[in-house]
Amino acid sequence: MEDNIYLLVKVRIEHTHVKVHDAIYEIQNNSVCTVTDTETVKIIETEIMDYKLKS
């Protein structure tokens, strides 16, 4: 059986940006996420989904 699941990641940051949205954008575009297979679950695809920010 194939399903979509969503895993949330809590990240605590310290930054020098004037707007935290700039820091979020930077992290979203420069992060790498690794999710590995188990004996009974095969990972087909992973994606860091864009957090839609209001300007």
Side-chain angles (χ1 to χ4, degrees), residues 6-10:
Y6 299 88
L7 305 174
L8 299 176
V9 177
K10 180 180 179 180

Side-chain angles (χ1 to χ4, degrees), residues 9-51:
V9 177
K10 180 180 179 180
V11 180
R12 186 171 179 201
I13 64 170
E14 184 175 313
H15 62 91
T16 58
H17 295 282
V18 173
K19 297 180 182 178
V20 70
H21 294 97
D22 294 336
I24 294 169
Y25 179 81
E26 185 177 323
I27 293 296
Q28 280 183 172
N29 290 300
N30 293 299
S31 293
V32 176
C33 177
T34 302
V35 181
T36 58
D37 295 340
T38 67
E39 286 187 23
T40 58
V41 179
K42 179 181 177 184
I43 303 302
I44 298 169
E45 177 184 11
T46 58
E47 169 189 5
I48 296 178
M49 300 175 70
D50 285 343
Y51 183 69

